[in-house]
Amino acid sequence: METRRAVVTGASSGIGAATVRLFRQHGWQVVGVARRADRLAALAAETGCDVFTADLTRQQDVDSLRDYLAASGAVHVLVNNAGGAKGLDSVEASSIDDWAWMYEINVLAVKRMTSAMLPLLRASIAAEGGSADIVTVTSIAGHVAYLGGGGYNAAKFAAHAMTEVLRLELNGEPIRVIEIAPGMVKTDEFGLVRFDGDEEKAAAAYVGVANPLTAEDIAETIVSAVELPAHVNLDLITIKPVAQAAPTRIARGPLIPRAD
C-alpha cells in the first residue's frame, strides 16, 4: 500500500483534510491540494502528506499540478472533493455571481482535474498493472431538488451527470468511477461559505439534529470504497445521518421509537 498515491482536492479543511488523514493512516502516499498554503503546510506537518497549492478554477494551476505529479511519481486515485455552496435565495433572486462560482468549483474544476489526471492514472496502470480510481464528492443536492437549492442543486446535478457519463466513457478500462453523495455534514466551513460568514445562520442548520455526519464519516466512506477489491465498483454512495430522511425532512431532537 505504501507505493500507492492518492490526490485529494479541497484538502485544507473539512472532508478533504479528513480524507488525507485517513489515507495516511492506512499507509497511502497522499498529495493534498487546496488554495490555502498555510492550511496545507499544517496538514503536511501533522500527517506527512505532500501538498500542492492550487486554485482549481485556474487552468494554469491545474496544469502545474499535473506536471508536478507526473514528475514526482505514480498517481492511483483522484478524489475530487473541492466544492461548495453559496446562498439559499430563489432562482429569481439569487446572485448570478454565486451561481458562476458554484459552477466553477463544483463542475468545471472537477472536469479540469479529471482531464488532467486521467493520463497519469493510465500511465500508472500501464507501468504497474492493477487499477485506478476517480472519486467525486457530490451531494444529495445533486439528486433531489429543494427550495433554496437553486444554483447548488444545478451545479451538483451537473457534477452527478458528468460522473455518470465518465463511467460510460471509461467502460473497458480498469478505472473505477465512484460518486459519494453526502447529506447533512457538519464541518467548520461549509455553512460559513454558504451564508457569507454568518455564524448564526451556519449553526442554525444543525440545531437539534442528533449526530449529523462528520468529515471523518465521509472520509471513511471514501477510503473504504477505494480499498475494496479492484473488481468491485460502488457507483453511487448516498450517505445521510439517520436524522435526515431527505434534504428537507430532518428530525430535530432525540431519536426515539414510536409507542405501539
Side-chain angles (χ1 to χ4, degrees), residues 10-21:
S12 60
S13 65
I15 293 170
T19 301
V20 169
R21 292 186 183 102

Side-chain angles (χ1 to χ4, degrees), residues 213-237:
L213 298 176
T214 66
E216 289 72 23
D217 293 326
I218 310 306
E220 185 71 44
T221 305
I222 292 168
V223 175
S224 296
V226 168
E227 291 186 342
L228 284 171
H231 69 285
V232 178
N233 194 81
L234 297 181
D235 286 10
L236 169 63
I237 306 169

Side-chain angles (χ1 to χ4, degrees), residues 90-211:
S90 68
V91 172
E92 179 183 12
S94 54
S95 162
I96 196 69
D97 290 337
D98 287 350
W99 280 56
W101 179 86
M102 286 186 279
Y103 201 82
E104 279 283 353
I105 193 60
N106 292 292
V107 185
L108 298 185
V110 173
K111 184 269 188 285
R112 287 190 179 96
M113 283 297 298
T114 300
S115 294
M117 294 299 106
L118 265 170
L120 304 186
L121 296 171
R122 290 186 177 116
S124 298
I125 296 169
E128 304 171 8
S131 62
D133 298 89
I134 297 173
V135 181
T136 298
V137 179
T138 61
S139 170
I140 59 172
H143 298 263
V144 181
Y146 58 88
L147 284 171
Y152 190 57
N153 283 143
K156 288 300 190 182
F157 265 83
H160 164 64
M162 179 170 52
T163 303
E164 293 277 286
V165 173
L166 182 65
R167 191 179 299 112
L168 297 175
E169 292 172 346
L170 298 183
N171 182 244
E173 299 187 60
I175 302 174
R176 297 185 295 192
V177 177
I178 300 166
E179 179 183 354
I180 311 291
M184 178 178 278
V185 184
K186 188 175 183 180
T187 62
D188 292 337
E189 296 192 357
F190 180 86
L192 289 175
V193 173
R194 183 163 215 168
F195 296 111
D196 199 24
D198 189 319
E199 295 182 3
E200 186 174 342
K201 284 185 177 180
Y206 307 101
V207 170
V209 178
N211 298 316

